[in-house]
Amino acid sequence: MPALRSVRPTRSARAVAALAAALVLAAAGTAGCGDDPDRGQKQDTGKTGSTSRPPASKSASKKTSRSTPPSTSRSASPRRSPALPDALTRQRPAWSRCPAPNAAQGEDAGSPTPLPGGARWECAKLKVPLDYDKPQGKTIGVEMIRAKARKGGGKRIGSLVFNFGGPGGSGVATLPSFADDYARLRGRYDLVSFDPRGVGRSEGVNCLSDKKLDAYFAADSTPDTKNEEKGLFARQGSFADGCEKKAADRLPHLTTENTARDMDLMRHVLGDRKLHYFGISYGTELGGVYAHLYPDKVGRAVFDAVVDPTSSPVRGALSQTGGFQLALDNYLKDCASRGGSCPVGEDPEEGKQQISELLTQLDAEPLPTDSGRKLTESLAQGGIAQSLYSKDMWEMLSQGLEEAMTDRNGTTLLMLADALNGRNQNGTYSTLQSSLTAISCADAKQRYTADDIRSRLPDFTHASPVFGPMSAWGLVQCHDWPVKGQWKAPTVGAQGSDPILLVGTTGDPATPYGGTRNMKKQLGEGVGVELTYRGEGHGAYDSKDKCVRARVDGYLLNGKVPADGSTCA
């Protein structure tokens, strides 16, 4: 049963069939050799303008490009880890040509072309402790990718680290597909991203064989009887067993907090005094946890498509259910305005009913597809949800609905579902959904029973007759998980941090708009600066809205903090 994720879809230049698969992941690119970042490029301190907060400590106020080792950084966390050994804090990444994208990252989009001017993408491994409480013990490798700042763009500020969401999305695969969007930022930053621990080439988790994952995602995720409930819980137990067999030593350590600690070691090894950061979707939660642990190490930071840090899994899933229903309603209104070309008619309410009826029919009798596989109810729900992450995909949703309802063929909706589930065109799977479950269950303490779900099902169905049941039963993803979770909700308070720009989109399905305000409150007085984008889709910056771009670029490049409460329409 797939979990709806909070990750920014990527783009692909391929034809329509490949476009659906490429929404989740793009490929890492080729690269040439690069300079060691610890040896010496003079850089801007990244100090913000007059509205920024004063440094949190004397060490943070020194105007120097020398980074502070993670072991001596001030931490607001109630739990401090032992100091890291010199072997980790003094490592120098061996930047070299990136390997071809692999199945674990998602290989369908192919390798990205060189950057303007002929510059190439570079990759390197960062060694991090598997267990930060035992930093002298076993290490794992975190795969990084970068594009060095272009010449002539201005004084270099440092590295700008991206996390595109998930949890479970490969940053190494995703960053190259958005290179054009971030071209201006590369004038003053090295653009950097990474596969977080447990993802892709960073000890990625994949819990079942490809054939078993096909069956797992196709199976009924909205049980109607006690026997179907037993089947659902049995599948979740088998999934958890598979994860334990393949990754037992890693599972306890695949937490968001540990990834935040990895980012601070990355900051230090890259030679930056502060972490300049662009977090999208789940990446905003990761950024909030980093800011809590290291408020004095936060540089210019942007959180786009903001996760609500106050939500329990139930509240978060219920809010997301409403967000996807809102996006579907907006699609139906747009579709109806197109007259006879809309496959579900000119009445949005009637269209919603037709989609619900289609799902009911698929529960009884799946549709054939051109691949020979079947489109089940669960796969169709996932495919519809996938198409709502971006307004650019509404046309494909119309195509898929037309095929399913008129031609009785599920090919397009199945391709969309495959994108949600991280299935490559050759039938292999990326680590996307396995990593998402592993990280989510290492983070969250909550575990839900069938009684819990049944008691909440009316609320979910009221929020969305289309997505409600799927979202409610999705809460059992941590059933029989071999590791206890760390928290009931992440702590993101970051008093003393420099300003963090929070960008919320009113029509965002995956991270509903209300989470932006809650993140602002939790960060603490004077830290969060709110910018509203009145638009559709998951994430504002990559919508290409000129107003959003101008304000975000103004902060990241020039330290100009927008007025709190600004709006872009």
Side-chain angles (χ1 to χ4, degrees), residues 358-377:
L358 171 64
L359 295 173
T360 300
Q361 293 167 9
L362 290 170
D363 190 24
E365 185 178 357
L367 286 177
T369 70
D370 293 351
S371 68
R373 295 160 61 209
K374 298 284 190 179
L375 177 72
T376 64
E377 178 192 24

Side-chain angles (χ1 to χ4, degrees), residues 444-504:
K445 288 183 177 181
Q446 295 90 336
R447 304 290 185 260
Y448 298 100
T449 67
D451 287 341
D452 293 329
I453 304 306
R454 284 194 296 267
S455 69
R456 292 172 168 88
L457 200 53
D459 293 334
F460 278 83
T461 303
H462 177 74
S464 173
V466 175
F467 302 111
M470 177 181 68
S471 296
W473 287 107
L475 289 165
V476 306
Q477 68 173 339
C478 298
H479 172 67
D480 269 357
W481 197 253
V483 174
K484 292 183 179 180
Q486 182 179 27
W487 59 43
K488 289 189 174 180
T491 302
V492 299
Q495 285 297 145
S497 167
D498 279 355
I500 298 174
L501 181 58
L502 310 175
V503 188

